[in-house]
Amino acid sequence: MNQHTPKVLYQEANPYGSFTAFLEDDGRTIYLYLQSHNNPDWKMKSLWIRNLIDAPKERDPHDFDSGLAPILTEAEIFNPKALPTLTEEEIHFIWSEEGDAVALFVNEELYAYLPPWSGVKGIQGYAKEAKENAITASPLGDVNNGVLADRVKASRKHWENVAQKDHWKRAQSLRLNFLESKLGKHDKYWSADGGSYPSLGIASFYPKEFPGIKVFSTIGMSVQNQPSVELYHKEFEDFARIELVLAIKLLNDVEDHTEQWVQHALGEMIKFPWNTGIWFGHSHTIQNPRKDPDQLYLDFNWFVFNNITDELDLSVNQSIPQLNGLLSENGKRINFLVLTPISLEERICFMREGSQKFWDTWKKEGFTFFHDSERRMLEF
């Protein structure tokens, strides 16, 4: 057995700083690994790249017991002879815009692709040297044409667009102008990215159509797709781009405390999808990281998301802001997800009874898109 201390040939974090990909040479094989920095439930992905020793006719079952990465056999690869290791100068990564998939280029040629669905249905990823579906790699196919090549080209284009000098200024204006056309001139704007990529903000509005209501919206989440949506939606691009909205009913003759908690709650959630690889969608729930200082009867410990863009597509509802019709830079719709604060007890009912029953009850009791700090418990 070739005893060899594994050596990292190259490693790189994605532009969000949330996932790292690295190539490892263990003396027998080279593998591409992808790991999450922030989500302990996200299992590390691995993809075979090439053998560094002559391919055996069969795998040695003892390799698994020894914790060695599987070597691919003669029948599974194009070149059964040992290939040389790779040098850092030869290696180049292109990340998916979601940040949870990566393409490996060797000497400017697409050489492997570790996709968002790595680990699903036995597919780990795609490697140029793989001839047939094997335990840790599948054939890459045509490196210049086809579905995988097109995905990588689209990723490259996304990052080229993002790198343009006035990209954020244009993206920010598109979203702010749309919101102002629906909600009136914004009252305040906060930067919410902490000085790191991606650029993000939060704006507040007092819409004339909804007196006594203050609306907060994120600005910029929809510049990039959320990760992992395509694992759950066939038409994933219709749901991948979002902004979060939190609307509050202002209490009469009470000091406005909304900025104390809403700005911070949105600020703590604004990078969540790219930090964790977990997406936000209609009827998803997430813990509320901040306490509503005006809550009276209920502790609003959770949020449930309501995709009002979807609702508006089905029927024009005059009792909620008309936040549909905005397209992102990629021509796909931007979904406005309203954060609906709920209590722990209400979330338990939500999980037990299902989302349809929850929303039916919500509407029946006369609740709408804005949060009322003094409301009572939903009666299921």
Side-chain angles (χ1 to χ4, degrees), residues 86-107:
L86 295 170
T87 63
E88 189 170 334
E89 294 70 34
E90 297 174 280
I91 299 163
H92 177 59
F93 287 164
I94 291 183
W95 289 91
S96 67
E97 72 174 85
E98 297 84 359
D100 63 348
V102 65
L104 164 65
F105 282 73
V106 173
N107 292 324

Side-chain angles (χ1 to χ4, degrees), residues 249 251 292 294-300 340-347 358 361-362 365-368 370-380:
K249 179 184 178 184
L251 304 175
D292 175 358
D294 294 320
Q295 61 191 33
L296 191 58
Y297 303 110
L298 299 176
D299 287 326
F300 297 105
T340 304
I342 58 174
S343 68
L344 175 61
E345 294 80 6
E346 287 172 331
R347 182 177 184 266
F358 175 86
T361 307
W362 182 260
E365 295 215 6
F367 294 133
T368 178
F370 57 79
H371 169 55
D372 180 353
S373 301
E374 296 184 342
R375 77 169 176 84
R376 293 183 181 272
M377 183 88 73
L378 274 182
E379 296 292 331
F380 283 90

Side-chain angles (χ1 to χ4, degrees), residues 220-259:
M221 290 181 76
S222 59
V223 172
Q224 47 278 313
N225 284 343
Q226 296 183 94
S228 69
V229 182
E230 69 178 304
L231 303 181
Y232 300 89
H233 270 294
K234 193 174 180 187
E235 304 297 328
F236 79 96
E237 286 187 307
D238 287 336
F239 301 92
R241 299 224 173 186
I242 63 158
E243 299 290 350
L244 301 181
V245 173
L246 183 47
I248 310 287
K249 179 184 178 184
L250 297 172
L251 304 175
N252 294 330
D253 304 321
V254 176
E255 186 185 349
D256 180 3
H257 298 124
T258 55
E259 286 174 26

Side-chain angles (χ1 to χ4, degrees), residues 26-92:
D26 71 355
R28 305 152 52 257
T29 62
I30 295 177
Y31 268 77
L32 173 63
Y33 295 97
L34 182 63
Q35 64 182 10
S36 167
H37 294 188
N38 309 312
N39 184 350
D41 296 327
W42 203 89
K43 292 186 173 64
M44 186 187 286
K45 317 290 188 190
S46 60
L47 171 62
W48 173 91
I49 301 300
R50 60 168 55 169
N51 286 347
L52 302 178
I53 59 175
D54 291 350
K57 290 201 180 301
E58 293 180 354
R59 268 182 289 279
D60 184 343
H62 297 299
D63 285 356
F64 293 103
D65 300 334
S66 308
L68 296 172
I71 194 160
L72 295 201
T73 63
E74 272 186 18
E76 293 169 334
I77 61 179
F78 286 112
N79 190 345
K81 292 296 178 191
L83 291 172
T85 193
L86 295 170
T87 63
E88 189 170 334
E89 294 70 34
E90 297 174 280
I91 299 163
H92 177 59

Side-chain angles (χ1 to χ4, degrees), residues 265-282:
L266 288 175
E268 289 184 37
M269 296 167 66
I270 203 164
K271 287 190 177 183
F272 182 89
W274 300 277
N275 281 345
T276 62
I278 299 169
W279 64 293
F280 291 153
H282 182 66

Side-chain angles (χ1 to χ4, degrees), residues 3-44:
Q3 294 295 333
H4 183 93
T5 303
K7 177 188 173 189
V8 174
L9 302 172
Y10 180 74
Q11 73 174 28
E12 182 180 299
N14 70 9
Y16 307 105
S18 55
F19 288 82
T20 290
F22 61 96
L23 280 167
E24 189 175 86
D25 167 345
D26 71 355
R28 305 152 52 257
T29 62
I30 295 177
Y31 268 77
L32 173 63
Y33 295 97
L34 182 63
Q35 64 182 10
S36 167
H37 294 188
N38 309 312
N39 184 350
D41 296 327
W42 203 89
K43 292 186 173 64
M44 186 187 286

Side-chain angles (χ1 to χ4, degrees), residues 178 182 210 306-325 333-334 336 338 363:
F178 173 82
K182 304 291 185 178
F210 301 98
N306 181 13
N307 187 345
I308 61 169
T309 316
D310 236 9
E311 193 172 326
L312 288 165
D313 284 346
L314 299 173
S315 62
V316 175
N317 184 340
Q318 296 300 331
S319 64
I320 60 177
Q322 307 294 294
L323 299 181
N324 61 333
R333 79 177 190 187
I334 292 174
F336 286 89
V338 170
K363 287 171 186 169

